Amino acid sequence: MINIYVEDFSGNRQHLEIPTEINLNLMEVLKASEYPVQGTCGGMALCATCHVEVLSGSEQLNPPQDQELDMLDTLPELTDNSRLACQIPIQENIDGIIVKVLTE
Ligand code: FES
């Protein structure tokens, strides 16, 4: 199992346990867990509605590709730890990360 910790807009933190073998990305997992993540473009790095802030463990993640960086650059609320959740595959390297959902 992969363990991640998700903080909502109000600061409530929840532990999620995700089976290693599912072929999903973090946006899909957040949506399935009923976080207010729209994922309008379906995970193509084109809408930025899956913007999250990685509070801990960003160095564990695969670095963002150009398309993700370009989309992040359009966000007024960009932080150093901003990522698009749809560009974070659920893989063992993300075990233990803490992410904050930035939408209410
Ligand atoms: S779902 Fe559109 S950028 Fe992630």
Side-chain angles (χ1 to χ4, degrees):
M1 297 293 261
I2 295 168
N3 298 283
I4 64 169
Y5 300 86
V6 183
E7 193 169 295
D8 68 14
F9 191 80
S10 312
N12 299 312
R13 201 172 279 189
Q14 184 184 197
H15 171 214
L16 297 181
E17 256 191 345
I18 314 162
T20 3
E21 64 276 7
I22 60 170
N23 187 21
L24 294 178
N25 61 54
L26 181 59
M27 176 274 285
E28 294 166 319
V29 167
L30 292 173
K31 278 185 79 162
S33 303
E34 304 198 342
Y35 283 97
V37 172
Q38 291 179 10
T40 314
C41 75
M44 308 285 287
L46 292 172
C47 71
T49 61
C50 65
H51 178 208
V52 294
E53 187 174 1
V54 181
L55 300 180
S56 173
S58 57
E59 69 288 345
Q60 294 169 227
L61 306 177
N62 300 333
Q65 304 293 306
D66 287 349
Q67 193 174 359
E68 178 179 358
L69 290 171
D70 289 348
M71 187 49 57
L72 287 170
D73 270 345
T74 68
L75 294 171
E77 65 275 26
L78 182 69
T79 76
D80 285 346
N81 295 313
S82 286
R83 292 296 303 260
L84 297 179
C86 70
Q87 302 303 302
I88 301 176
I90 302 299
Q91 296 171 345
E92 296 201 358
N93 66 316
I94 75 165
D95 191 46
I97 65 168
I98 304 173
V99 296
K100 183 171 180 66
V101 172
L102 298 167
T103 41
E104 276 186 271

